[in-house]
Amino acid sequence: MSQEILRTKVKDLLAKAPGEDVLAKGWVRTKRGNKEIAFIALNDGSTINNIQIVVDKTATDAELLAKVTTGACIAVRGKLVESIGSGQAVEIQASEIEVLGECDPVRYPLQKKDTTFEYLRTVAHMRPRTNTFGAVLRLRSQMAFAIHEYFHSKGFVYLHTPLITAADAEGAGNMFQVTTLDLLNIPKDKKGGVDFSKDFFGKRTSLTVSGQLEGELGATALGEIYTFGPTFRAENSNTPRHLAEFWMIEPEMAFYDIKDNMALAEDFIKSLVRYALENCHDDLKFLNDRYDNELLDRLQSVVNTEFKILTYTEGIEILEKAVADGHKFEYPVSWGVDLQSEHERYLVEQHFGRPVILTDYPKDIKAFYMKQNEDGKTVRAMDVLFPKIGEIIGGSEREADYGKLDARIDELGMSRRTLEWYLDTRRFGSCPHSGFGLGFERLLLFITGMQNIRDVIPFPRTPKNAEF
Ligand code: 4AD
Ligand code: MG
């Protein structure tokens, strides 16, 4: 095929006025037609929309056209003309077709019956070529950009925190160990334990569960930072809301108290939803029309409503009253329990009808670094709870007082040895500060309306599943 015309992406072709000679490349979605004419729907991933290719069969090699099957990759040259058919303004009147990659229609698994989300997770090459995953993956990319833009516009510094670490930031012990020791011949210390001094880093290391602790070092020097990277949790939670490898955004701000923290979280998430509505309309409309016709309304309503702020204790009272009035939860509710997503969703969806920020949780169900309240029982935590999702953000004001933090670490029996570097922020020029973590895939669940967190990440990692 002659190369003097440059390829134009389908998204740009669809926005062009008719008249030009163009070159399009992409994958065939469908081919239909009659004896004289074939209509090919071509998609190249630049948009959810296809460009229609009109082929004059009488002037085209039949053998070549037979190779233009669903899934095949082709290049098409022709004139962009006004389309008489409905559904598109322009189409390509093909003058030349080249098959770049054939696709055996018998072996290609993209049959209507094969397209459950579960099935698609097992066919790595095909999943991103479907309309649904194309839309989800474009949205994912757009949201990542929107996040960087948001913080950049506010002067936050993007801080790269390590993926391999010796500290358990959340103190929950759900860490994937990183080692180069020979598992069949593990070196032992004098007490018969594993001799980690022989390991690659000379100590026990894991994949990070959060960049927060390192983020705090950034914030107490640069003022306002954010991290955005992969996060790993070896919790054996096979739920539609948990991944073993997910992405988290963690802003951390010097001189912010919990109120400033909540205000930022609310503004941040609303800005992201607004960005999606303003910049990703075609993909959102596709998902709305195909799966969830309340999606666009739900997104719009979050942008327009003020989040409801209340304490954990007040939240528990509401839930206990619901139980007393006959509402059935799977898990019991009383002061001190960690809320399940059914509880969170009850508050958001049934009781308040809008996103909720719960504050001042019992210290025993929250991490060691949270600022302790005067009551001795609660900490200055804040979780943002969302419709359909439950917890989407977890954060807090941080304990800035060395003595209190030190005492809490002791109380929890945590290893101080791996945290000295962190405690130094409280020893030397400590400052009030706050931060939070937004689960990127939880955000995407909300924005796309998808039901399962495995379907908003290109290559999901969950217990017993690390394909591709
Ligand atoms: O509430 P989490 O555990 O908070 C932290 O990690 C803090 N260090 C954040 C901070 O203050 N800088 O996690 C934060 C968010 C959750 O609200 C949730 O959205 C998401 O991360 N998350 C997960 N997403 C997918 N799969 C998992 N297994 C997740 N665990 C947490
Ligand atoms: Mg949390």
Side-chain angles (χ1 to χ4, degrees):
M1 176 168 287
S2 49
Q3 282 297 328
E4 56 299 3
I5 302 179
L6 291 178
R7 170 201 168 213
T8 307
K9 291 189 187 188
V10 170
K11 183 177 185 197
D12 300 328
L13 287 173
L14 293 172
K16 265 186 192 292
E20 265 178 66
D21 280 329
V22 295
L23 169 63
K25 296 181 182 179
W27 294 269
V28 175
R29 283 288 158 83
T30 56
K31 186 179 74 176
R32 58 188 179 82
N34 53 37
K35 280 213 178 80
E36 288 93 43
I37 303 179
F39 296 102
I40 301 166
L42 194 70
N43 190 282
D44 66 358
S46 59
T47 159
I48 187 87
N49 301 309
N50 304 324
I51 184 117
Q52 173 155 285
I53 316 288
V54 183
V55 187
D56 177 357
K57 282 185 164 177
T58 57
T60 312
D61 176 12
E63 220 169 284
L64 176 98
L65 206 52
K67 292 179 181 163
V68 179
T69 57
T70 295
C73 185
I74 63 171
V76 180
R77 255 179 122 215
K79 200 178 210 55
L80 196 68
V81 298
E82 200 177 318
S83 175
I84 9 175
S86 61
Q88 65 270 321
V90 289
E91 60 193 22
I92 299 176
Q93 198 81 56
S95 54
E96 199 179 345
I97 295 181
E98 184 184 349
V99 177
L100 302 175
E102 290 180 43
C103 182
D104 182 343
V106 179
R107 284 176 53 232
Y108 192 56
L110 198 54
Q111 306 292 329
K112 285 248 152 43
K113 66 177 164 54
D114 288 339
T115 50
T116 67
F117 293 153
E118 289 79 5
Y119 175 74
L120 285 175
R121 280 180 221 138
T122 68
V123 195
H125 69 93
M126 195 174 76
R127 191 174 183 242
R129 283 198 205 161
T130 60
N131 282 330
T132 301
F133 287 95
V136 167
L137 295 177
R138 276 186 299 272
L139 278 160
R140 186 176 167 108
S141 170
Q142 290 281 339
M143 286 297 99
F145 179 75
I147 286 161
H148 286 300
E149 187 171 67
Y150 179 84
F151 286 122
H152 186 80
S153 77
K154 289 193 162 338
F156 281 54
V157 173
Y158 179 27
L159 186 77
H160 296 109
T161 51
L163 297 191
I164 300 175
T165 174
D168 181 356
E170 293 302 299
N174 297 319
M175 304 183 80
F176 288 102
Q177 204 168 315
V178 173
T179 182
T180 53
L181 291 178
D182 177 358
L183 296 182
L184 292 175
N185 186 16
I186 294 172
K188 297 283 170 63
D189 60 20
K190 288 200 193 82
K191 289 183 193 150
V194 179
D195 183 2
F196 284 106
S197 72
K198 302 265 167 30
D199 205 347
F200 188 89
F201 295 105
K203 56 162 71 96
R204 184 178 189 147
T205 53
S206 303
L207 294 178
T208 186
V209 294
S210 159
Q212 179 193 324
L213 302 190
E214 291 89 351
E216 287 186 50
L217 272 68
T220 54
L222 298 160
E224 292 161 333
I225 65 94
Y226 70 104
T227 72
F228 185 0
T231 309
F232 307 88
R233 295 201 183 172
E235 44 190 346
N236 204 356
S237 318
N238 247 317
T239 81
R241 273 174 279 278
H242 288 88
L243 290 165
E245 178 179 303
F246 63 101
W247 287 60
M248 186 153 51
I249 300 99
E250 295 186 277
E252 191 71 35
M253 298 76 60
F255 319 119
Y256 275 48
D257 66 14
I258 183 137
K259 288 213 174 71
D260 304 322
N261 204 25
M262 287 191 281
L264 181 73
E266 180 167 344
D267 183 61
F268 176 46
I269 211 158
K270 282 180 173 169
S271 299
L272 297 179
V273 176
R274 199 178 304 119
Y275 187 97
L277 285 166
E278 284 169 8
N279 296 280
C280 313
H281 182 261
D282 287 356
D283 287 325
L284 287 179
K285 181 150 187 344
F286 167 80
L287 294 169
N288 182 88
D289 295 353
R290 176 88 170 253
Y291 299 110
D292 176 358
N293 54 30
E294 287 168 8
L295 176 64
L296 287 168
D297 288 345
R298 207 159 52 239
L299 296 180
Q300 199 63 59
S301 94
V302 159
V303 171
N304 296 330
T305 42
E306 207 178 307
F307 295 4
K308 172 71 189 174
I309 298 172
L310 72 158
T311 64
Y312 167 91
T313 303
E314 290 163 337
I316 290 288
E317 282 163 10
I318 292 167
L319 294 167
E320 284 180 330
K321 176 147 192 312
V323 172
D325 292 345
H327 190 87
K328 296 255 183 299
F329 291 115
E330 196 182 330
Y331 293 89
V333 178
S334 62
W335 199 93
V337 301
D338 209 353
L339 296 182
Q340 302 293 324
S341 80
E342 57 170 347
H343 305 135
E344 296 170 337
R345 291 183 59 183
Y346 179 88
L347 292 173
V348 172
E349 292 165 25
Q350 325 255 102
H351 193 82
F352 291 110
R354 54 188 162 134
V356 166
I357 309 184
L358 270 194
T359 67
D360 302 285
Y361 281 71
K363 67 176 182 186
D364 291 332
I365 57 170
K366 289 293 181 188
F368 73 99
Y369 50 70
M370 295 192 181
K371 185 175 171 66
Q372 298 162 33
N373 280 324
E374 301 300 318
D375 63 12
K377 292 193 304 193
T378 59
V379 286
R380 223 159 284 182
M382 48 158 255
D383 277 10
V384 180
L385 314 179
F386 252 51
K388 298 263 180 193
I389 315 290
E391 179 190 340
I392 194 164
I393 282 179
S396 76
E397 185 168 343
R398 316 306 188 190
E399 184 53 78
D401 182 279
Y402 175 80
K404 286 187 184 167
L405 189 58
D406 188 54
R408 187 68 184 141
I409 288 172
D410 262 357
E411 205 177 351
L412 291 167
M414 294 175 67
S415 149
R416 186 179 281 92
R417 207 166 26 87
T418 60
L419 289 171
E420 290 298 348
W421 59 273
Y422 173 73
L423 287 167
D424 281 346
T425 55
R426 276 50 167 190
R427 289 189 184 105
F428 306 107
S430 185
C431 76
H433 62 289
S434 298
F436 62 81
L438 168 68
F440 189 45
E441 287 77 16
R442 299 251 177 115
L443 170 78
L444 291 171
L445 277 178
F446 180 71
I447 286 186
T448 61
M450 297 294 277
Q451 305 282 330
N452 193 313
I453 198 161
R454 292 164 179 80
D455 295 327
V456 293
I457 186 164
F459 302 100
R461 297 286 175 261
T462 51
K464 300 279 183 287
N465 169 40
E467 287 290 326
F468 323 126

